[in-house]
Amino acid sequence: MQEKPWKPWALLSPSLSAVFLLLVVPVCFIVVYSFWLRAPSGADIPAFQFGNYAKFFEDFFYPSILIRTIRVALETVILCLVMGYIPAYFFYRSESRHKSILLLLIMLPFWISFIIRTLSWINILGDSGLINYLLIEMGILNEPLSMLYNEGAVLMGLLQYLLPFMILNVYVSLDGIDKSLLEAARSLGCTEWQAFKEVVLPLSMPGVSAGCLLVFVLTAGTYLPPMILGGPGNDMIANLIFKRIIGTLDWPFGSAISVILLVLLGIIVFTYNRYLGINQIFKTLQ
Amino acid sequence: MTQERNPRLVRFEGIVKRFGTVTAVEKMDLDIAEGTLVTLLGPSGCGKTTLLRMIAGLEDPTEGDIYIKGERINDIPIHKRNLGMIFQNYALFPHKTIFDNVAFGLKYRNVNKAEVEKKVTQALEMVRLPGVEKRMPAQLSGGQQQRIALARAIVIEPDVLLMDEPLSALDENLREEMRREVDNLQQMLGVTTIFVTHDQREALSMSDKIVVMKDGKKLQEGTPDEVYNQPNNHFVADFLGHSNFAEGEVVGKENRFVKVRLKDGTIFRVEDTGRFQEGEPVELVVRAQKFDAFRQEEFTPDPEMNYFEGKIRDRSYMGGEVSYFVELPDGTEVHIISMMRTRIYEVGDSVSVQVAPRHCHLLPIET
């Protein structure tokens, strides 16, 4: 067959142009905007200066939000991993004919708007929400327990948003592990737990690392759960960008923070892939 | 081996296995002698793999008991049974080196490091793959991977080696080679081996004993020679090799022969085993290879032989032999396989076919 080198590019062109127009171009705008000067009144002034970046690192206020963002993202990753691996493993070992229905149930939350799902936690955790109502009715509490507008509530919101991503990533990886490997390990003298540790866990690492990366990146860029479920002290970096751009209309500074977040996440993803992601996937392909 | 061999190293007593409403194994009693290679042979779904998995502990019997070395093992967990298992798809750990794969079972058996290295090296030499310790499984070919799986299973010196269709993922030539390899290794080590296959040639060439299974039941058990030459029912005769069947009736006895009249009136003489009496309906079985065909005009009937006449309908070469279908005057077809060294007939040739009474067998009619 004759090679047509332009063919793959022709087939890719619709998605490539979409990515270029809808992602690369706007990001370029943001990068350019981050160097502009903010005018006290009227339109922002085009310029090339690093004032906006300097402002971010002027004192500890802004960097501390960045650090908090990373900390919350790591906490979410750990929670998702622990709470996601168990159901994924359950699906893997399940011999049930209804396995596909169980998997469908994992996807079910995606059919409801993320905002509504996040808002619904107010009805569950709020002062007159479900949990407090029940506890007071049962006489366990006298006055409502304050569960909203703190980091715990934010983590809860993040968890319910991101858990399906983790479960599905880990499950796909587990599903590729031949069950006869487990049987071989058992017949050679492993207990169920040892077989898990020796065979299943290492072979599921590609899914685990992909899931962790996805959850980390999505958490670091999210602003809805902290905005709806968090208090003033729980702002994450995306909330800061939101407030600068929508609230104070400081587009140059908001753009600069966006670029900082983008560069930071880029470095993390690159390093992670270099040492964990690609390496792990390569190992199992061998 | 200086010790007396245990004739019942593995023992099944009334084993039944049901999956929901499906019965996979039905009332199985079977003894397996120490140091022998026993094949469970049958079509897919006959329960042979289920039986194997019950010894391994990967399935629990619904009823009945399994004994290894006289000890009831029903409730002993898999990892304490000391069995070596070989899988169809090799089941090597893809993330571990060959060394770690082979040494895997030793890790759970309190073997010190120097000893582990010695045993792994020995096992790899035994499967004729020395020096591959540092490689990963995916760097080896299918046949090599199965040898590593074999090394991994024998290095723990198992009481029983269980093999679940271990050769069926390999291509034809490699399968032949591996078959001999497994056979040699089994004899060298003297390890009791249970081998599951649906391939009759594999079963016939390797086994000390063959257990033919169908629909969860044991149909016949015996040496390869016994099950091949003295099948005791229609299925066994049909499953192993190419057989011709004809229904008839015992019409009398003469010296050491039984006379059988077939549906078309032909009288066949069959060696008397004492199993059938005059008047009983029977099924006559003759292997395709046992017939001799002659050109009709050159044929002199031998009163000691059974013979009939027909026309060659179809002919095909099968390498060293030729396969014919001979049509009899009443329209039935007989399958004949003859060696190439005899004359080759053309389609349409009239032939006389003879077969010695000792190559004819009688079976009861199955309803």
Side-chain angles (χ1 to χ4, degrees):
Chain A
M1 218 174 71
Q2 212 176 344
E3 284 286 323
K4 289 183 181 125
W6 51 267
K7 230 177 177 175
W9 293 105
L11 290 168
L12 275 171
S13 61
S15 44
L16 277 181
S17 39
V19 167
F20 184 77
L21 283 173
L22 302 174
L23 198 76
V24 178
V25 172
V27 167
C28 288
F29 279 150
I30 288 176
V31 173
V32 169
Y33 227 114
S34 71
F35 297 112
W36 285 18
L37 270 172
R38 192 183 181 211
S41 63
D44 295 325
I45 304 151
F48 184 74
Q49 49 86 36
F50 292 89
N52 298 316
Y53 292 95
K55 190 171 157 194
F56 186 85
F57 295 104
E58 226 161 50
D59 59 33
F60 198 61
F61 176 73
Y62 298 118
S64 72
I65 295 178
L66 194 60
I67 290 165
R68 183 193 303 143
T69 305
I70 290 169
R71 180 172 51 78
V72 170
L74 286 176
E75 284 167 0
T76 312
V77 165
I78 291 164
L79 281 173
C80 278
L81 184 57
V82 173
M83 294 182 65
Y85 201 106
I86 295 164
Y89 185 72
F90 171 78
F91 294 146
Y92 167 58
R93 293 305 298 271
S94 165
E95 302 283 334
S96 165
R97 278 178 296 128
H98 309 298
K99 201 149 102 177
S100 54
I101 295 176
L102 291 174
L103 280 170
L104 199 68
L105 287 177
I106 295 292
M107 313 280 280
L108 205 60
F110 291 118
W111 298 356
I112 304 164
S113 153
F114 172 41
I115 300 176
I116 292 175
R117 274 187 287 149
T118 309
L119 282 170
S120 68
W121 280 102
I122 294 174
N123 294 323
I124 298 169
L125 299 175
D127 283 358
S128 51
L130 185 72
I131 294 176
N132 275 320
Y133 172 78
L134 284 177
L135 289 175
I136 290 168
E137 280 295 301
M138 287 192 295
I140 297 168
L141 289 178
N142 289 323
E143 50 188 73
L145 198 66
S146 185
M147 287 180 287
L148 267 183
Y149 313 119
N150 53 35
E151 198 173 297
V154 175
L155 282 174
M156 186 74 102
L158 287 167
L159 200 60
Q160 62 95 23
Y161 162 44
L162 296 164
L163 201 51
F165 292 102
M166 183 63 95
I167 295 175
L168 290 175
N169 266 294
V170 174
Y171 174 72
V172 166
S173 202
L174 284 172
D175 199 42
I177 305 174
D178 188 342
K179 287 206 174 86
S180 62
L181 291 181
L182 272 175
E183 295 177 344
R186 295 280 277 124
S187 76
L188 288 165
C190 279
T191 60
E192 191 77 34
W193 167 246
Q194 284 166 331
F196 172 78
K197 215 173 54 182
E198 285 278 355
V199 179
V200 178
L201 194 60
L203 288 176
S204 67
M205 280 324 279
V208 168
S209 66
C212 286
L213 186 63
L214 193 64
V215 168
F216 183 87
V217 170
L218 287 173
T219 311
T222 191
Y223 70 95
L224 265 172
M227 189 165 91
I228 296 172
L229 302 170
N234 301 123
D235 271 359
M236 284 166 52
I237 196 80
N239 299 88
L240 187 65
I241 297 169
F242 180 84
K243 281 177 182 169
R244 284 298 157 269
I245 291 181
I246 308 290
T248 59
L249 295 175
D250 191 347
W251 280 50
F253 188 45
S255 300
I257 306 172
S258 302
V259 173
I260 289 167
L261 179 65
L262 192 69
V263 170
L264 186 77
L265 286 182
I267 291 170
I268 289 171
V269 170
F270 181 79
T271 323
Y272 184 88
N273 251 345
R274 182 79 193 273
Y275 292 103
L276 262 164
I278 292 169
N279 209 11
Q280 281 296 341
I281 292 161
F282 184 65
K283 258 186 196 162
T284 37
L285 286 180
Q286 263 184 347
Chain B
M1 204 172 284
T2 49
Q3 273 168 286
E4 188 81 354
R5 283 187 167 191
N6 183 351
R8 292 173 183 161
L9 188 90
V10 181
R11 183 172 173 79
F12 293 93
E13 265 181 23
I15 290 294
V16 176
K17 177 66 185 179
R18 290 193 200 94
F19 293 104
T21 54
V22 182
T23 305
V25 176
E26 221 175 291
K27 281 280 168 218
M28 176 67 72
D29 295 299
L30 184 66
D31 288 342
I32 290 166
E34 190 173 349
T36 58
L37 193 155
V38 175
T39 301
L40 306 178
L41 175 69
S44 61
C46 72
K48 55 191 195 298
T49 296
T50 308
L51 201 60
L52 191 82
R53 291 172 64 83
M54 283 193 280
I55 309 173
L58 298 167
E59 306 282 357
D60 292 320
T62 314
E63 283 170 33
D65 299 309
I66 304 172
Y67 298 89
I68 294 180
K69 288 179 167 173
E71 187 190 1
R72 185 174 176 275
I73 57 158
N74 289 42
D75 305 317
I76 296 180
I78 316 166
H79 61 280
K80 292 197 177 138
R81 291 191 183 188
N82 198 37
L83 304 167
M85 182 126 188
I86 310 276
F87 298 84
Q88 186 177 342
N89 57 358
Y90 328 132
L92 295 182
F93 306 123
H95 58 303
K96 291 180 184 287
T97 62
I98 298 303
F99 181 90
D100 288 339
N101 264 284
V102 178
F104 193 85
L106 298 173
K107 242 189 349 194
Y108 302 94
R109 285 173 170 74
N110 296 323
V111 183
N112 72 49
K113 222 182 146 202
E115 190 74 1
V116 168
E117 273 182 31
K118 208 179 103 196
K119 279 179 188 249
V120 170
T121 312
Q122 266 176 2
L124 288 176
E125 273 165 13
M126 255 185 269
V127 297
R128 299 197 292 114
L129 274 176
V132 296
E133 285 91 340
K134 290 201 180 72
R135 293 209 223 159
M136 299 304 278
Q139 292 172 290
L140 302 182
S141 70
Q144 289 173 323
Q145 288 191 44
Q146 195 57 298
R147 286 192 209 176
I148 299 301
L150 204 55
R152 183 177 67 177
I154 59 174
V155 80
I156 59 169
E157 293 165 27
D159 293 333
V160 186
L161 193 58
L162 306 171
M163 306 182 114
D164 186 6
E165 308 237 5
L167 309 180
S168 54
L170 305 172
D171 66 51
E172 189 74 23
N173 294 329
L174 206 54
R175 204 181 307 166
E176 178 74 39
E177 191 189 318
M178 274 298 286
R179 186 158 80 197
R180 283 174 42 214
E181 191 114 357
V182 169
D183 203 15
N184 288 340
L185 202 61
Q186 192 271 332
Q187 279 172 15
M188 192 167 80
L189 296 168
V191 57
T192 313
T193 304
I194 304 176
F195 191 99
V196 161
T197 185
H198 62 266
D199 184 331
Q200 42 137 335
R201 280 186 302 163
E202 247 167 61
L204 290 169
S205 64
M206 301 173 76
S207 319
D208 295 307
K209 185 159 96 173
I210 296 177
V211 178
V212 185
M213 291 179 67
K214 190 200 172 201
D215 299 334
K217 279 177 272 198
K218 177 173 79 179
L219 293 187
Q220 189 171 1
E221 151 180 14
T223 63
D225 184 53
E226 278 165 3
V227 291
Y228 188 80
N229 288 318
Q230 294 150 45
N232 64 10
N233 64 62
H234 183 97
F235 178 81
V236 176
D238 202 22
F239 192 68
L240 287 130
H242 306 278
S243 294
N244 292 288
F245 297 94
E247 288 187 7
E249 188 191 330
V250 177
V251 289
K253 295 200 177 189
E254 186 186 280
N255 300 331
R256 51 194 181 85
F257 296 115
V258 178
K259 289 209 287 192
V260 177
R261 187 171 58 221
L262 302 181
K263 286 257 163 77
D264 67 348
T266 323
I267 301 283
F268 255 67
R269 298 195 312 153
V270 181
E271 258 175 30
D272 189 6
T273 55
R275 191 174 172 187
F276 299 100
Q277 302 308 320
E278 196 173 333
E280 263 186 275
V282 288
E283 188 172 38
L284 175 75
V285 192
V286 185
R287 295 268 176 217
Q289 290 90 342
K290 304 293 185 188
F291 290 109
D292 289 309
F294 299 90
R295 198 173 285 279
Q296 241 167 43
E297 50 272 27
E298 294 167 6
F299 180 65
T300 38
D302 177 345
E304 290 291 304
M305 295 286 198
N306 300 305
Y307 53 89
F308 54 86
E309 287 170 357
K311 259 196 175 124
I312 304 281
R313 263 283 147 259
D314 192 26
R315 182 187 73 177
S316 51
Y317 291 103
M318 290 163 38
E321 50 206 21
V322 194
S323 161
Y324 299 107
F325 281 92
V326 177
E327 190 182 303
L328 306 188
D330 71 344
T332 51
E333 282 193 343
V334 178
H335 187 196
I336 294 174
I337 296 175
S338 69
M339 289 297 144
M340 281 286 259
R341 59 187 150 75
T342 61
R343 182 201 297 276
I344 294 171
Y345 300 100
E346 302 296 328
V347 171
D349 282 358
S350 290
V351 289
S352 293
V353 180
Q354 77 170 21
V355 58
R358 65 191 171 87
H359 290 140
C360 303
H361 299 281
L362 296 179
L363 298 174
I365 298 277
E366 282 163 42
T367 45

